[in-house]
């Protein structure tokens, strides 16, 4: 692969906007990330089907990618079904990258076209492997039920024959993986409690298997408590000091000059002082006052996500806090020089304002909701086979 990288560096030049995309794709291939590399090149060729750099890179990387995953299949066949299935998936993705090329690009790359029959055979094998992985699961906990559904979902995705056994297991595993939530929100501030509950109810709508349930017909319980709500009104602190800067100005100064004159037939030198304009440096001193205004709001959030039988899926307690802070500075002249008006004197800033209490409440509620939604997202990730 190092040789491929060096060869392609000679091919690629800086005269194209696709240079960096192709360069990054080469780096991905050099690290062994062939699927990401080929998909990146595919993206370039969809924009310009005759991009010579991308075509040359695709032509050199594709055979190495196929070989890697064929070798993986040989090493794991009959030994490790997970490793074997991952290799099958990657081989299919590599071949799909070729099939998705624009027709002009396909004609321009010297790549052996993967047979359609082989691609279909891979899909059928994937469907069988995911079905077998699903059948191996013993779904006792809810998270295991989600994982089981994930395997059968993949089996259904790659099933080309409409197998009844796959469809049946997909349907039954989906029914088993449905999450019916009972939300139990408590706390000391009614507005915070009600608003948090409404947000979580809205979050549930974005997950395909989750829904809201009543206090009887549920299989998941989400207990949330809000306490120690604390709001610190805006408080302003100030700090002052003295500083200076150098300013160059044109100033009239008296300068001694010597003139030569002829008096009574003799040459004499006469000294006198005359006003002249010169650029001089003046140190301007000033006093500054820096104001810092802060406000904050926080509360303690504790939550526990459990199955109906009491099995804990996730629980935690943390402080949710948000602070808003602004600052501004005012400047005042110090010991002004008579007859001198500084040009570059710092300009004082106007007073700035922090968020209102209502806006602060919205901020901490959103932070708390992100925490609670993260628990749902983590739970839902069990159904996704993201190999």
């Amino acid at each position: 692969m190092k040789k491929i990288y060096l060869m392609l560096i000679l091919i690629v030049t800086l005269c194209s906007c696709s240079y960096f995309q192709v360069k990054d794709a080469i780096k991905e291939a050099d690290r062994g990330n062939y699927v990401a590399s080929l998909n990146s090149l595919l993206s370039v060729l969809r924009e310009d089907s005759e991009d010579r750099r991308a075509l040359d890179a695709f032509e050199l990387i594709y055979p190495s990618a196929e070989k890697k995953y064929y070798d993986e299949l040989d090493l794991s066949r009959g030994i490790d079904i997970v490793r074997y299935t991952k290799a099958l998936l990657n081989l299919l993705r590599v071949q799909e990258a070729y099939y998705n090329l624009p027709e002009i690009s396909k004609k321009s790359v010297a790549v052996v076209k993967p047979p359609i029959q082989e691609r279909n055979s891979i899909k059928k094998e994937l469907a069988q492997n995911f079905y077998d992985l699903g059948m191996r699961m013993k779904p006792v906990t809810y998270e295991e039920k989600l994982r089981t559904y994930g395997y059968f979902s993949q089996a259904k995705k790659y099933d080309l024959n409409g197998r009844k056994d796959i469809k049946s297991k997909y349907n039954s595993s989906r029914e088993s993986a449905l999450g019916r939530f009972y939300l139990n929100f408590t706390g000391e501030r009614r507005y915070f409690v009600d608003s948090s509950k409404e947000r979580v109810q809205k979050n549930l709508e974005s997950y395909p298997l989750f829904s809201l349930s009543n206090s009887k017909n549920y299989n998941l319980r989400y207990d949330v408590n809000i306490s120690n709500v604390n709001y610190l009104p805006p408080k302003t602190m100030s700090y002052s000091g003295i500083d200076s800067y150098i300013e160059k100005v044109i100033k009239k100064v008296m300068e001694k000059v010597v003139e030569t004159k002829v008096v009574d037939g003799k040459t004499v030198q006469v000294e006198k002082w005359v006003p002249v304009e010169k650029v001089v440096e003046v140190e301007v001193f000033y006093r500054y006052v820096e104001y810092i205004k802060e406000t904050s709001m926080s509360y303690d959030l504790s939550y526990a996500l459990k199955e109906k039988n009491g099995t804990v899926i996730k629980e935690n307690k943390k402080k949710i806090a948000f602070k808003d802070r602004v600052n501004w500075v005012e400047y005042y002249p110090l010991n002004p020089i008579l007859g001198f008006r500084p040009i570059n004197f710092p300009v004082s800033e106007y007073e700035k304002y922090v968020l209102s209490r209502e806006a602060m409440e919205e901020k901490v509620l959103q932070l708390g909701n992100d925490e609670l939604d993260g628990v749902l997202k983590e739970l839902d990730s069990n159904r996704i086979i993201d190999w």
Side-chain angles (χ1 to χ4, degrees):
M1 197 59 221
K2 292 287 185 183
K3 293 181 179 179
I4 294 177
Y5 183 79
L6 293 173
M7 290 171 63
L8 289 171
I9 286 295
L10 298 175
I11 296 170
V12 178
T13 66
L14 285 166
C15 61
S16 169
C17 63
S18 64
Y19 166 75
F20 292 106
Q21 287 176 275
V22 175
K23 183 179 178 181
D24 289 342
I26 295 169
K27 288 181 178 179
E28 288 293 335
D30 200 39
R31 289 192 288 262
N33 302 327
Y34 292 105
V35 174
S37 173
L38 291 173
N39 283 334
S40 181
L41 295 173
L42 174 61
S43 177
V44 174
L45 291 169
R46 280 174 170 168
E47 293 292 326
D48 180 2
S49 58
E50 297 182 287
D51 188 294
R52 191 66 258 166
R53 300 162 188 79
L55 289 170
D56 290 340
F58 196 99
E59 184 174 305
L60 287 167
I61 292 172
Y62 182 87
S64 297
E66 270 199 324
K67 182 180 185 307
K68 175 183 177 178
Y69 298 123
Y70 279 130
D71 290 345
E72 281 285 320
L73 292 176
D74 290 338
L75 291 172
S76 57
R77 183 179 285 107
I79 300 173
D80 186 340
I81 187 173
V82 172
R83 182 181 174 187
Y84 182 82
T85 305
K86 287 181 180 179
L88 269 181
L89 269 175
N90 285 323
L91 178 59
L92 179 64
R93 289 164 180 160
V94 165
Q95 294 185 354
E96 291 290 344
Y98 172 83
Y99 281 112
N100 290 327
L101 286 174
E103 289 302 319
I104 295 177
S105 301
K106 289 179 184 176
K107 295 176 182 178
S108 302
V109 292
V111 169
V112 178
K113 177 181 178 181
I116 291 291
Q117 297 84 350
E118 182 182 43
R119 184 170 64 160
N120 291 339
S121 175
I122 291 174
K123 289 183 177 181
K124 291 177 183 178
E125 195 170 1
L126 282 172
Q128 181 61 50
N129 283 8
F130 279 118
Y131 178 82
D132 291 341
L133 286 167
M135 293 298 291
R136 290 186 180 189
M137 291 291 294
K138 304 298 179 185
V140 177
T141 68
Y142 180 70
E143 291 171 291
E144 291 169 343
K145 292 175 182 178
L146 283 171
R147 177 60 56 172
T148 302
Y149 168 72
Y151 285 133
F152 287 124
S153 294
Q154 291 294 95
K156 185 174 182 293
K157 175 181 178 180
Y158 294 108
D159 176 29
L160 300 179
N161 299 325
R163 290 169 48 178
K164 291 183 179 180
D165 56 344
I166 290 180
K167 184 177 180 180
S168 174
K169 286 297 181 182
Y170 169 81
N171 290 334
S172 61
S173 65
R174 187 180 190 283
E175 181 64 29
S176 179
L178 292 175
R180 298 178 296 277
F181 282 77
Y182 170 58
L183 303 181
N184 178 41
F185 278 63
T186 58
E188 63 184 43
R189 286 282 300 276
R190 195 71 257 162
Y191 171 71
F192 273 68
V193 173
D194 291 343
S195 181
S196 294
K197 186 174 182 178
E198 289 174 6
R199 291 165 191 250
V200 172
Q201 289 174 347
K202 186 68 176 177
N203 293 340
L204 288 173
E205 297 175 5
S206 63
Y207 297 97
L209 298 181
F210 299 164
S211 63
L212 190 64
S213 185
N214 54 41
S215 59
K216 293 181 180 180
N217 186 30
Y218 73 92
N219 60 342
L220 295 170
R221 180 185 177 103
Y222 208 175
D223 293 315
V224 178
N225 179 263
I226 292 173
S227 61
N228 298 325
V229 179
N230 184 31
Y231 171 65
L232 292 180
K235 179 181 179 181
T236 304
M237 298 169 287
S238 63
Y239 305 90
S240 63
I242 295 175
D243 206 345
S244 67
Y245 70 96
I246 300 298
E247 187 164 312
K248 291 184 177 181
V249 297
I250 297 176
K251 191 175 181 180
K252 282 187 177 182
V253 298
M254 299 302 292
E255 189 173 272
K256 184 173 67 173
V257 297
V258 178
E259 292 182 351
T260 302
K261 292 184 178 183
V262 177
V263 179
D264 297 331
K266 295 181 179 181
T267 302
V268 297
Q269 291 183 331
V270 180
E271 294 182 354
K272 65 177 181 178
W273 293 85
V274 296
V276 295
E277 289 187 342
K278 294 186 70 174
V279 176
V280 298
E281 291 185 343
V282 177
E283 186 173 13
V284 181
F285 289 88
Y286 61 87
R287 183 170 67 91
Y288 65 87
V289 182
E290 182 178 5
Y291 297 91
I292 300 174
K293 186 183 292 186
E294 290 183 348
T295 183
S296 64
M297 178 170 275
S298 65
Y299 63 88
D300 292 333
L301 177 68
S302 60
Y303 57 85
L305 178 60
K306 304 177 182 179
E307 296 188 45
K308 193 171 186 177
N309 62 11
T311 301
V312 176
I313 298 174
K314 182 71 177 288
E315 62 181 349
N316 194 12
K317 181 177 182 179
K318 66 183 302 184
K319 182 175 286 295
I320 304 298
F322 182 81
K323 177 187 288 186
D324 190 28
R325 173 177 176 169
V326 296
N327 68 292
W328 69 96
V329 186
E330 295 177 352
Y331 303 94
Y332 303 94
L334 191 66
N335 299 328
I337 302 173
L338 292 176
F340 168 65
R341 297 183 63 183
I343 299 173
N344 300 312
F345 194 82
V347 179
S348 295
E349 300 175 298
Y350 292 105
E351 180 179 356
K352 298 179 182 178
Y353 299 94
V354 293
L355 295 174
S356 66
R357 178 166 183 157
E358 292 74 16
M360 293 293 290
E361 289 177 348
E362 177 62 28
K363 288 289 186 182
V364 291
L365 283 169
Q366 185 56 50
L367 289 174
N369 183 67
D370 292 343
E371 176 72 19
L372 296 174
D373 187 48
V375 176
L376 299 179
K377 187 176 296 184
E378 183 180 345
L379 180 65
D380 181 63
S381 67
N382 286 280
R383 72 174 174 86
I384 302 169
I385 313 298
D386 56 351
W387 294 343

